[in-house]
Amino acid sequence: MQTWLNAYSGMNLRFLIMGLGVTILISVISVVLSFIVGSVLGVLRYSKIAYLSKIVGFVIDIIRNLPLLLIIFFTYFGLPNLGFKPATIPAAIMAMTVFESAMIAEIVRSGLNAVDTGQMEGARSVGMTFVQALWHIILPQGYKKMIPTLISQFVSLIKDTSLATIIVVPELMQHAQVIYGQDANYILPMFAALAVLYFITCFGLSLVGNWIDR
């Protein structure tokens, strides 16, 4: 019991909260960027523009079938060989955005395809252009269908930020490793704390998603 009390000292808890702050920062920026990029890519695939849609689909399929850890490694260790050396946090955000954009693009494409084709036909029949019909008719209905899947993907993104510890991003997992690196007896208390903090963050996002869906 004393070991657990020592592990949860005020200094250690503050250090963990600092790491949680970085995790949330990376998650929020990655969610916003990947939602924007993924939506654009998903719309391009849905639009079936000659050649462009196929090229976008090919790139998305490649990224979706690569491990996120490999993308993180490439962003941090590979890009410097191409003349661009990002810091750890920007590298993590870039890797998360690239990976999640590909996932969200498929969610968006599927959501748009789930909208009845009569909606597009009806919009075009009253004089709307394809872009107007997409923006005013198809996207609002499509996003409504996508909300549960998008929230689930964003929750996965938050958990995936733990992989950024491999490039020493000062996020929640990395801070926990620093703490139990000082005393091996702190391993179980830190894992318990990680479980609680990740659960609170992810469950909170799930509740927000359910509220939006309602």
Side-chain angles (χ1 to χ4, degrees), residues 4 10 14 39 59 62 75 97 105 112 123 126 145 166 170 178-179 181 184 204 207-208:
W4 286 66
R14 285 194 298 271
S39 294
V59 173
I62 290 176
T75 304
T97 299
L112 296 180
V126 297
K145 298 175 182 294
I166 201 70
V178 170
I179 293 173
L207 292 178
V208 171

Side-chain angles (χ1 to χ4, degrees), residues 34-55:
S34 61
F35 179 72
I36 295 172
V37 176
S39 294
V40 172
L41 296 177
V43 168
L44 287 175
R45 291 208 68 185
Y46 170 78
S47 301
K48 295 181 174 62
I49 301 172
Y51 299 111
L52 180 58
S53 294
K54 290 184 178 180
I55 293 172

Side-chain angles (χ1 to χ4, degrees), residues 154-177:
F154 292 149
V155 168
S156 295
L157 186 152
I158 294 174
K159 293 183 287 188
D160 286 343
T161 57
S162 61
L163 294 175
T165 190
I166 201 70
I167 57 173
V168 202
V169 173
E171 45 76 57
L172 182 58
M173 180 68 76
Q174 199 272 339
H175 277 208
Q177 289 178 343

Side-chain angles (χ1 to χ4, degrees), residues 16 26 120 131 133 140 142 152 162-163 171 174 182 193 198 203 212:
L16 281 178
I26 293 174
M120 175 62 78
V131 174
S152 176
S162 61
L163 294 175
E171 45 76 57
Q174 199 272 339
Q182 301 171 1
Y198 277 120
F203 186 66
I212 294 174

Side-chain angles (χ1 to χ4, degrees), residues 3-207:
T3 298
W4 286 66
L5 293 176
N6 292 338
Y8 296 144
S9 66
M11 181 180 298
N12 287 345
L13 290 178
R14 285 194 298 271
F15 194 59
L16 281 178
I17 297 301
M18 289 171 57
L20 178 61
V22 174
T23 291
I24 293 175
L25 173 66
I26 293 174
S27 300
V28 169
I29 296 176
S30 299
V31 162
V32 173
L33 292 178
S34 61
F35 179 72
I36 295 172
V37 176
S39 294
V40 172
L41 296 177
V43 168
L44 287 175
R45 291 208 68 185
Y46 170 78
S47 301
K48 295 181 174 62
I49 301 172
Y51 299 111
L52 180 58
S53 294
K54 290 184 178 180
I55 293 172
V56 170
F58 178 69
V59 173
I60 288 173
D61 286 339
I62 290 176
I63 295 174
R64 289 176 63 237
N65 287 284
L66 293 177
L68 175 55
L69 191 59
L70 176 62
I71 297 176
I72 293 174
F73 274 137
F74 175 79
T75 304
Y76 189 67
F77 297 110
L79 289 183
N81 292 325
L82 301 177
F84 178 64
K85 182 174 176 56
T88 54
I89 292 179
I93 292 174
M94 289 173 59
M96 297 285 178
T97 299
V98 168
F99 184 77
E100 293 299 325
S101 293
M103 298 297 182
I104 291 173
E106 280 301 289
I107 294 173
V108 170
R109 183 184 68 83
S110 299
L112 296 180
N113 284 332
V115 177
D116 189 271
T117 55
Q119 298 291 311
M120 175 62 78
E121 294 170 355
R124 297 301 300 275
S125 68
V126 297
M128 283 188 174
T129 65
F130 177 81
V131 174
Q132 288 174 330
L134 185 65
W135 181 258
H136 294 288
I137 306 297
I138 306 302
L139 277 173
Q141 296 182 66
Y143 278 126
K144 174 68 168 60
K145 298 175 182 294
M146 300 173 210
I147 288 175
T149 311
L150 285 174
I151 295 300
S152 176
Q153 189 62 43
F154 292 149
V155 168
S156 295
L157 186 152
I158 294 174
K159 293 183 287 188
D160 286 343
T161 57
S162 61
L163 294 175
T165 190
I166 201 70
I167 57 173
V168 202
V169 173
E171 45 76 57
L172 182 58
M173 180 68 76
Q174 199 272 339
H175 277 208
Q177 289 178 343
V178 170
I179 293 173
Y180 68 67
Q182 301 171 1
D183 189 333
N185 293 321
Y186 292 171
I187 292 179
L188 285 180
M190 285 302 104
F191 284 171
L194 286 173
V196 170
L197 291 173
Y198 277 120
F199 173 79
I200 291 173
T201 305
C202 295
F203 186 66
L205 179 59
S206 298
L207 292 178

